[in-house]
Structure formats: structure tokens, C-alpha cells
Amino acid sequence: KKRASLEACWEPIMLEVLAGAAPDSELHTLVKPDEERYFVDFLMHYSTRLKGDERAAVLELSHHYLPWVALQLKRRSPERRARAVQTLGELDAQGYTDELMAALTDPSPLVAITAARALARQRNPDLARGLVDSFGAVELWHKRFLSSMLANMGPKSGPILRDALADPNQPTHTRVLAAETLVQLNDLAAVDSATAVIQTEHDTDLLVAALRLIQRVGGEEQREPVKRLLSATDPAVRANAVRALACVGTQSDVDLVRKAVEDESNWVVMHAVWGLKALGRLDMLRDIVSCNHRRAAAAREMLAEVPA
């Protein structure tokens, strides 16, 4: 009730300020010291819905209250700290970059990921190093979510991500996230790092991420190291190796892809029949179906996706 009452008081003046019919000071005088947090939320409501000059006016209004918001970063409640980070990121991320960078090391994963999102929205590749180094604080968050967030910073962050992928001293999950982000960026220069990973590393998640990167940006030079993983113990590695070989291989590799159809793992078989289609060997898929092979269902399903 208090929030609704305050907003009903502020809104008419707010509309006048946005229209240029009233000065900012007229609105500021209505906000009492114990009402600052309500007013900041009120401004957040507008800033996320407006664009152009009107949004700029809201941001200008907010500057008077942001020092108070920054003080909330010292609160004991992680939810309060996260809300403060979100607010600073929305209303003046560039002006509070140092505070947001410091929040990346907050003991609360919620605060750290909120800071990471605020920094990523700036699309400033100079901040990518801090984000990569902070991955340890957000390890439990979904890899695809984090990689999408980093990819939003643009291709200029590629060199930092390539360094992270190639560095064996980095935590494995950091290298995996770097690889996943480079996939989204279609970073051609990352292929050497990915090739080195599949030749020297043994962690399943890291191998799969590197193979996915090779699928996207690799070439015939990666055929031989990819082939060696066709006999890997883990089916996820074998499956992605088959798919990668279909992407970077030649017709001379068709027999290896066809052999993978015999794999005991359904996951590997799915990638193998996809690989035969990608290599243009629909005849092999039809043979598998016609001879009532035990993997005929997978081949039939893949043929069904081929345009008539």
C-alpha cells in the first residue's frame, strides 16, 4: 500500500519531467530520505520500458540516488546486494564498473552472476578478462546461459577466450565455457586451441566442447586428431567425434562414420546417421533401412528429414 501510494504521488510529476514540462528538482523534493529505495524501484520500472531521450531523462534522475544504491552492496543479505548490483547495472553500469567488477567475487553466486550479466550488457571486450576469471564463482550456473552472456560481448573478446581455452592452469569448467562461447562467436582463430585440447586433454566435458568448436570452425587439418577420438571410452566423446568428422572430413572418411552406426550407444548412432546425411551418403542410409539393420529406425528417421 505504501509503494502504491508513493507511486501515485510521483507519477504525475514524473510524466511532466519526461515531457520537459517540469524540472527534475520538483520530483526530487517529493522523495523523503526513507523513501529512496521505493523511488529507485520506481525509476527502474521506467528505465526498462523507455528508450531514447525519455530513458536518458530517467537515468539522469537516478544519478542523485545511485550513491545510496552503491552502499547497499555492503548489506549482509545477498538478495539486497544482488538487487543493488542489478540496479547499478541498469541505471549506470559504466559509472559503477569498478563496483560491478568487485561484485564478481562476491561469496554469493546470485550476486556474482547478476554482476556478470550487468557487465556483459556493456559489450565491452576489455571486461571479458574479469568475467572469465570470475567463472569460478558461478560454476553452478548453466553453461549455455553463461556462454550466451559472454558471446553478447562480441567477437573482440575472442583473444581472451582463446587464451582461457588453451591454458591448462585454468579450471576445466572455465575452459569449457570459453569453448562454448567461441562456438557461438564462430571464432575461426580458435581452431588451433581446440585441436590442442583434443590431442592432450582427457576430461569428457572439455573434449566435447572442443569437438563442438571444431565442428563449427574446423577443416580437413583436424581430421586425424578427431579420428583418434572415435574409439574414446565415453560415448559423448565418440558421438561428438563422429559429428565433427562428418563436418571436417572428406568422402574418404565415410566408412568410419558408417562404422559408428554399429556403436552400442544410441547417442553415437544418432550422430553417425546424421553424419552420413551430412556427407551426402543417403544411399548408405537407405541400405541400412532396406536390410532391416538393427539401427534401421535411426536411419529411417534421418531419411524422413530429407526434403522429397
Side-chain angles (χ1 to χ4, degrees):
K1 288 181 179 180
K2 180 175 182 178
R3 183 186 300 273
S5 174
L6 289 171
E7 291 184 357
C9 174
W10 295 330
E11 189 160 23
I13 308 302
M14 181 69 166
L15 295 176
E16 291 187 18
V17 170
L18 292 178
D24 293 359
S25 58
E26 189 169 334
L27 190 53
H28 290 318
T29 57
L30 296 177
V31 182
K32 297 180 177 61
D34 62 342
E35 297 170 353
E36 289 179 323
R37 67 187 180 98
Y38 297 108
F39 188 67
V40 169
D41 287 345
F42 177 72
L43 294 177
M44 284 279 283
H45 174 82
Y46 275 91
S47 71
T48 56
R49 288 164 174 77
L50 298 178
K51 296 181 180 180
D53 292 342
E54 289 183 332
R55 185 171 187 274
V58 173
L59 299 184
E60 183 65 27
L61 272 169
S62 72
H63 288 168
H64 183 74
Y65 304 94
L66 293 184
W68 174 86
V69 175
L71 290 176
Q72 308 310 301
L73 296 172
K74 299 179 181 180
R75 297 293 290 266
R76 296 183 65 178
S77 167
E79 289 78 13
R80 290 285 185 89
R81 299 199 304 275
R83 180 62 175 173
V85 166
Q86 181 185 21
T87 302
L88 293 173
E90 173 64 31
L91 298 177
D92 190 11
Q94 293 184 350
Y96 286 87
T97 295
D98 290 345
E99 287 81 356
L100 295 176
M101 291 294 289
L104 290 173
T105 60
D106 192 281
S108 166
L110 175 62
V111 177
I113 194 62
T114 304
R117 292 184 67 181
L119 290 165
R121 283 198 298 270
Q122 293 190 49
R123 298 191 176 188
N124 181 355
D126 293 337
L127 303 177
R129 170 59 65 189
L131 287 173
V132 170
D133 291 342
S134 74
F135 279 163
V138 292
E139 181 178 357
L140 298 179
W141 290 77
H142 197 284
K143 291 193 292 292
R144 293 292 176 84
F145 167 74
L146 291 173
S147 61
S148 295
M149 179 185 67
L150 279 173
N152 192 52
M153 300 187 76
K156 289 185 178 180
S157 61
I160 291 172
L161 294 166
R162 292 195 294 271
D163 289 346
L165 173 60
D167 186 358
N169 295 317
Q170 287 279 2
T172 299
H173 66 270
T174 298
R175 301 175 73 189
V176 170
L177 284 168
E180 294 284 359
T181 307
L182 290 164
V183 169
Q184 294 192 46
L185 291 174
N186 291 309
D187 192 290
L188 297 175
V191 69
D192 290 339
S193 298
T195 304
V197 165
I198 67 171
Q199 290 177 314
T200 60
E201 301 293 341
H202 303 285
D203 180 84
T204 295
D205 289 343
L206 185 54
L207 289 173
V208 167
L211 285 166
R212 280 172 39 80
L213 183 53
I214 288 173
Q215 291 168 32
R216 183 65 63 89
V217 300
E220 291 187 24
E221 298 81 1
Q222 283 70 52
R223 288 170 58 224
E224 293 306 319
V226 167
K227 286 179 186 179
R228 288 193 282 273
L229 293 179
L230 293 174
S231 57
T233 303
D234 194 292
V237 176
R238 298 199 303 275
N240 281 276
V242 170
R243 196 177 186 95
L245 184 60
C247 292
V248 304
T250 65
Q251 288 299 315
S252 63
D253 301 312
V254 167
D255 288 342
L256 290 173
V257 177
R258 171 61 181 82
K259 184 179 178 182
V261 177
E262 311 292 338
D263 198 281
E264 293 301 317
S265 167
N266 291 333
W267 186 240
V268 176
V269 173
M270 288 173 57
H271 285 275
V273 295
W274 179 91
L276 290 176
K277 185 184 78 168
L279 288 167
R281 296 307 303 266
L282 300 182
D283 57 320
M284 285 189 169
L285 291 174
R286 295 189 184 100
D287 287 344
I288 292 171
V289 173
S290 63
C291 71
N292 201 27
H293 189 279
R294 67 190 182 96
R295 298 302 192 180
R300 189 180 297 110
E301 183 177 343
M302 190 57 57
L303 285 170
E305 297 179 8
V306 178

